[in-house]
Amino acid sequence: MTNLTPRVDPPMSADETTMLTAWLDFHRSTLALKCEGLTDDQLRTRSVPPSGLSLLGLVRHMAEVEQYWFQGVLLGADISTGHY
């Protein structure tokens, strides 16, 4: 199977915005690669105990974390998902 999601190593030296953007893209694409090609049931399968987190749960968690930081913290928006 060919991976469709490219993952590019971030630069080790760059300005702050470039570094933050590159590392965020790297982690997003890493998670996308882990999920790529899996069935819905596989995405919902929880990892090894004691963790109850699945890949789908991790995707949801990361989306909420990004929303919190970018909208809530950086933009000062009122976000109330209740998961923080």
Side-chain angles (χ1 to χ4, degrees):
M1 175 186 347
T2 302
N3 290 326
L4 302 175
T5 303
R7 188 174 80 163
V8 178
D9 289 334
M12 292 296 130
S13 179
D15 63 274
E16 185 176 17
T17 300
T18 301
M19 289 289 282
L20 290 171
T21 302
W23 279 101
L24 184 57
D25 288 342
F26 176 79
H27 289 293
R28 285 175 176 162
S29 61
T30 298
L31 185 55
L33 281 169
K34 299 296 181 184
C35 296
E36 205 164 82
L38 298 178
T39 66
D40 192 50
D41 285 341
Q42 289 172 320
L43 288 170
R44 293 176 190 282
T45 300
R46 305 212 189 283
S47 62
V48 296
S51 175
L53 195 60
S54 66
L55 281 173
L56 182 58
L58 187 55
V59 169
R60 288 178 180 155
H61 170 73
M62 295 310 298
E64 289 177 359
V65 167
E66 284 192 30
Q67 180 185 27
Y68 170 79
W69 279 102
F70 289 116
Q71 294 178 8
V73 174
L74 295 176
L75 297 178
D78 179 24
I79 56 170
S80 53
T81 62
H83 295 111
Y84 308 106

